[in-house]
Amino acid sequence: MSLEDDLFEQRAARVSEIEALGYRPFGKRFDFTHTVPEVFERFGSKTGEELEAEKIRVRIAGRIQTVRRMGKAGFMHVQQNGGKLQFYVRKDAVPERDYALFGMLDIGDIVGAEGYLFITRTGELSLHVEALEFLSKTLLAMPEKFHGLEDTETRYRQRYLDLISNPEVRDVFVTRAKVVSSIRRQLEERGFIEVETPMMQPVYGGAAARPFVTHHNTLDIDLYLRIAPELYLKRLIVGGLERVFEINRNFRNEGVSTRHNPEFTMVEFYQAYTDYNGLMDLTETMLRQIAIDATGGTVVPFGEHQLDFGSVRRLTMRDAVVEFWEGEGGPTPGQVRDSAWLLANAPKATAGECLAHLFEVHAEKKLIQPTIIYEFPVEVSPLANNNPNEPAMVDRFEIFVASMEIGNAYTELNNPLEQRRRFDGQLDMQARGDDEAHQMDEDYLRAMSYGMPPTGGEGIGIDRLVMLMTNRTSIRDVILFPLLRPEAEIGMADRLRRLG
RNA sequence: GGGCGCGUAGCUCAAUUGGCAGAGCAACUGACUCUUAAUCAGUAGGUUGUAGGUUCGAUUCCUACCGCGCUCACCA
């Protein structure tokens, strides 16, 4: 028998022992008076004398992190809600039955206790337990207390263990929640309403990506998991919902990396009667506020850098290529406007694609501080409006931070005649073998033909933004359950079956 | 998909040119009424990712496969 099975059976046997003492081994309702962090907020600054005089009674529940037993007394640390509180249990202060229970507790068990707060000789605010309640049993051994759980595979597969074992992981996801709620609140304050549009779509669009395909049985149709909500949100703009946003998953059937997960979260928002300049201002304000809401300030550490969300630089894609050109033969501002020069200096079919390619190769990795890059070529922007002064360019910008693209925005194309031409252009690209080219969307053309107001629209990648706010270099560290290949057989059901 | 790396006890890690698989934590038994990575004494725990191969002998060398990580390509 392996050690793990041995341990498993020992603990299963302990379930009966706990039951024999008169406790329910899988617990019951426990009305606590404070969370552990609340205990420290409210009473953390009191002195030992004050606590002795006031005898503050509390009821606390949580998971046992460490136990130190010394014969007729002992300590344990109990973690709950991101904090940990020390419990002091002594034989002469609790019912006999509770002390017997204390003797058979395992690290990882969940308990509740009632008692009063005091400060130990070593100065730690603790709970002097007067009654102990058993709330749930762990049958499996917890990760080691000192190093925690380090194995990345186990951390991602069993995120619950990661969360129990590594407090900073909890902080990452708390920060993630702050980022999302900051975005939601800021948009709502400006009159945006949150909507939900189809994630299963008969025609996919709104981005250049390969989709996942699924099937609906009774309708007998293939559907695509959406690669972006864009086309539906703009239909809502046509319908008069003039400020809408959606925060949810997109699915792209592409490789995984430290910056890509097949499902990822975006916020997309659309505002009628503005344009990409309006969105630049809004983006700057929002990013700044997100940093404050998530981290407490506008300067955020990221690796060796200090990212300053207090100011956002703006420059055109052409200027970026000129400024950041690597190596010899850097172009002049005139050359990056010259189709012949572009076509001669990048391996793409059109001048616009060449410019975008040169930008990606030379400039992107150098954009560490928050930077808005604007004026994009029309060839890589099938849904954005042409610049009135230069039809080869569109009124579009992207936000880069720490070499990552985290946002994309433009003045929406609202001319159905031009949109038809763009779709046809995409079909041509498809015919030439580009499997990420945009599909024709007839209903979208129809919606636009009813008249869509001038509109600005933007999408921000939440996962990447959270990476920046939490100083994580892998997207898997900010997604609770990142996609992994299925695990080999676990055998848990069989093990439990053997116990009855 | 390509390249590089990793996989040893529940967890964190060792193991000498290829020569008896080990430690700490967790667990078990005992001692201990202010400890905090509690301490002290003792006990138990292994299909070295899987399958082959080389060898007297493989955790170690070789091949394939599985899983994970990093990276390049692609994308956001």
Side-chain angles (χ1 to χ4, degrees), chain A residues 178-232:
Chain A
K178 288 178 182 167
V179 168
V180 172
S181 79
S182 174
I183 291 169
R184 183 171 276 131
R185 199 196 63 248
Q186 291 191 67
L187 289 171
E188 286 174 344
E189 279 171 357
R190 290 173 173 83
F192 287 82
I193 64 166
E194 183 167 5
V195 297
E196 289 146 290
T197 63
M199 301 180 82
M200 298 192 296
Q201 304 178 343
V203 176
Y204 64 92
R210 280 180 296 175
F212 288 92
V213 187
T214 187
H215 188 79
H216 188 279
N217 286 342
T218 56
L219 294 184
D220 191 26
I221 48 170
D222 282 342
L223 292 165
Y224 302 98
L225 301 189
R226 74 176 185 197
I227 58 174
E230 172 152 352
L231 301 185
Y232 283 96

Side-chain angles (χ1 to χ4, degrees), chain A residues 7 24 32 73 97 119 160 167 170-171 179 190 204 214 218 234 243 245 251 266-267 305 316 319 395 421 452 456:
Chain A
L7 198 80
R24 280 158 63 173
F32 56 86
R97 183 184 81 139
I119 290 179
Y160 42 91
R170 180 193 182 91
D171 296 340
V179 168
R190 290 173 173 83
Y204 64 92
T214 187
T218 56
K234 283 192 279 195
R243 295 188 180 198
F245 72 100
F251 307 87
M266 291 251 297
V267 55
H305 305 291
T316 66
D319 288 345
D395 288 341
R421 286 192 285 273
M452 175 170 136

Side-chain angles (χ1 to χ4, degrees), chain A residues 76 87-90 93-94 113-116 118 127-132:
Chain A
M76 53 189 174
F87 286 13
Y88 178 48
V89 187
R90 41 189 290 178
V94 296
E114 178 166 356
Y116 58 88
F118 76 112
L127 173 64
H128 192 109
V129 175
E130 294 183 317
L132 195 58

